[in-house]
Amino acid sequence: MLIAILIGFVFALFLAFAGKFFKGKLSILISLIPLGLFIYFLQYIPSIASNQIVTESQQWIPSFGVNLDFRLDGLAMLFSLMITGIGTLVFAYTSSYLKGHVYLDRFYAYLLVFMAAMLGLVLSDNIISLFIFWELTSISSFFLIGFNNTNPDSRRSAQTALAVTGIGGLLFLAGALILGSIAGTYQISEMIPLSEIIAQNAHYVLAVALIFGAAFTKSAQFPFHFWLPGAMKAPTPVSTYLHSATMVKAGIYLLFRLTPVLGGQEFWNTTLLIVGAVTMFYAAFHTLFRTDLKGILAYSTIAALGILTFLIGLGTHESLLAAGMFILVHALYKATLFLMTGAIDQGTKTRDVTVLSGLRKVMLPIAIAGILAAISNAGIPPSVGFLGKDLIYESTLNFNHSAIFLTGLAVATNVLIAYAGYVTGIKPFVGKLPTGMEHVDYPPLLIWLPPIILGVLGFVFGMFPSLVQESLIKPILTSVGQNPSEVHLKIWHGFTPILGLSVLTISLGLLAYFFWKPTKSKEDFIERFEKLSPKHILESLAVFFEKASDVWTNIFQNGYLRNYISVIILFLVGLVSLTLLENTTYRIDYSSFSRLTIYEVVTLCIMIMSIGFAVFTKSRLAAVAATGVMGYSICLFFVFYSAPDLAMTQFTIDTLTVILFVLVLYKLPKYLKLSDYKTRVKDAVLSIAFGGLISILALEVLAQPVNEEISNYYAENAYILAHGKNVVNVILVDFRGTDTMVEISVLAIAAIGVFGLLKLRLKSSERKQK
């Protein structure tokens, strides 16, 4: 499975070097990659159908419990087949849809990276590795959404999508770490037996809330849904692949996968139920006011994602079965509708549903695909959509609490979704062909064949549900700890209340289609409430944050280096002082001090005099020389206390520093007063406070008992391990060789800088002489 995932990344890298060969007719060959992976996963169908689980593990960071653990069960199989199967059709569709595009190879590379990341996401059994692939899907989708990077709207939509899903990624990481610390493992399959222990932990609610944040942002749940309609600026293959079949369902997959670990608790079920219910009805209602085909499909997609969240929140056997079935149903009909929309857009140069009609006369195969998808979307038998709708109503009617209300909400949502399907899948093809569209080109084979295949599959699976019952649907229930033995999918269950609800949904959807016509005035009406939308509120908060940041920056980042240093030092003094107030003994152990010698007294006096001279002199060069004297005085103290190595290092650094200062300051005016008296007093107080703080820290360190464990280790092993008798040299060269190498690098860089300044000055002098 690891190889199957890496294939996408490898071929994406290959296209970076050989992509120019795949910009023409050969571009269709790239479709063989997802096709090969689709066939690879198909071979595991018999094993999955017999409740076997295929696992694979590769060590990655075993010390932290993070490995590349992969698990192919019923849930992972469904998503893997959707990713590769629909991916094959999208790749083939792209070869014609973007034919001749200058960056076609780049587009394919992004698609391959996304496909590989999605496969890694659904196959990962380790929640940390799942997070890595989760973020890769966000990054690759950013490039795909913003593929038309010359369009400002595309760039903005890509940034919005990345910002929302990126925040969700951070929440996911935090939730995963908390969950792993509670369970003592990051392997999801090992967390399942610990579900009761996890639920009783004090951090359960926090971990679940963070996971919810990740899932809701990725799967466009209210109020984070607004990025998805904006993402429709992407080319149609992106909308089809990412925003109907795969990426937007990543959050649903995460909720499904973690249901056996975190589900069954009131907080989990109630939150998902409420968020899903609000999302599905809110988004479905918005489809009534949209006129752009992609806009209608975007909101109906959000509604479908809300239904899936709603079903997972119900948490019953029936609802989980309905959710598993609806994932497949939605992927088939929604991918068909998006591919159909792309064909219409390419042929007519418009997606405005108010001006589209009669296209069956010039785009008959696309019309057939659209009608098939609309029928499945509405849940009309014998389509697979009929099975999906029936299972939804069965799960709500059998729910113990609020069954009537939940069923009514589900019916209202499905009626509006059915309306959206009729408008997008049927309206553009019926009626009279508008003037000017008689010469619309007949769509090429690779434009109409993929949606036809998906549309037909929706009816094949509907008429023969046993094709997916044993191989996909039952294993999904097994993967979430449900008993699949009672699952019997079939079109006809007799005259039941569920059949009545399905007929009601179809009928009301048709009534809405015939009596509620999409118009610009209706779209303008709903736009009046834009200021109340989550998008506008969050964007307003972003604007406020930006303005507050500007004010903050103008105050503290005002271009004066001394102000920056003052703020940093003041913050350090305040922070460390608060710590010292509680944890410092303020006792000086005079017995640990050695006796002063005449050399130390003289050197100390020289240091004090140089400090005073540097502070009060009126010459910059004199101040630099005084700081050099201070540095050399410190060198002498190192020599007095038998640390010649430190003395040499200090001597070298001080010498280079003095030279640099002299070269930089040489041509500046001798001295200018750039600060007033109050500023100098403030700087003096701050300097004294910082110096006093360092002194207290030094004295506190001296008062602490000496731990000789490390020094004894060095002394005992210097000769044995490093064959050196000078312990200090051995520490610098062997035990702490990396530190020494970095120090040498710093010195070398400083020396190069000095040499550059000297050379610059020499050239300047030569010009003057000439």
Side-chain angles (χ1 to χ4, degrees), residues 120-272:
L121 189 155
V122 301
L123 293 172
S124 290
D125 190 33
N126 188 290
I127 198 167
I128 300 300
S129 60
L130 193 155
F131 162 75
I132 300 298
F133 291 115
W134 179 281
E135 289 297 271
L136 285 174
T137 61
S138 296
I139 294 170
S140 55
S141 68
F142 167 76
F143 290 110
L144 286 167
I145 295 170
F147 180 69
N148 297 321
N149 51 38
T150 56
N151 186 343
D153 290 337
S154 294
R155 296 197 302 269
R156 182 177 177 83
S157 298
Q159 291 170 350
T160 301
L162 182 63
V164 175
T165 57
I167 292 172
L170 293 175
L171 298 177
F172 183 18
L173 177 60
L177 292 174
I178 294 173
L179 188 57
S181 66
I182 295 172
T185 178
Y186 291 115
Q187 195 163 341
I188 299 173
S189 57
E190 293 180 357
M191 293 179 184
I192 296 175
L194 305 173
S195 58
E196 291 297 328
I197 297 174
I198 294 172
Q200 294 170 6
N201 191 278
H203 297 108
Y204 168 81
V205 173
L206 176 60
V208 170
L210 293 169
I211 295 296
F212 281 164
F216 294 164
T217 52
K218 198 78 158 184
S219 289
Q221 298 298 293
F222 184 90
F224 308 108
H225 64 283
F226 56 85
W227 70 265
L228 185 55
M232 294 300 114
K233 300 293 182 183
T236 294
V238 177
S239 302
T240 305
Y241 197 31
L242 276 67
H243 305 137
S244 68
T246 53
M247 190 191 85
V248 291
K249 289 192 176 76
I252 302 300
Y253 169 83
L254 182 65
L255 295 175
F256 231 127
R257 178 61 74 193
L258 293 180
T259 290
V261 179
L262 302 173
Q265 304 298 319
E266 184 177 357
F267 179 68
W268 173 274
N269 293 101
T270 304
T271 304
L272 292 181

Side-chain angles (χ1 to χ4, degrees), residues 417-444:
I417 290 177
Y419 161 81
Y422 297 143
V423 170
T424 55
I426 295 178
K427 186 183 182 304
F429 305 106
V430 297
K432 183 180 178 181
L433 187 68
T435 303
M437 291 190 181
E438 301 88 350
H439 305 293
V440 171
D441 294 334
Y442 190 84

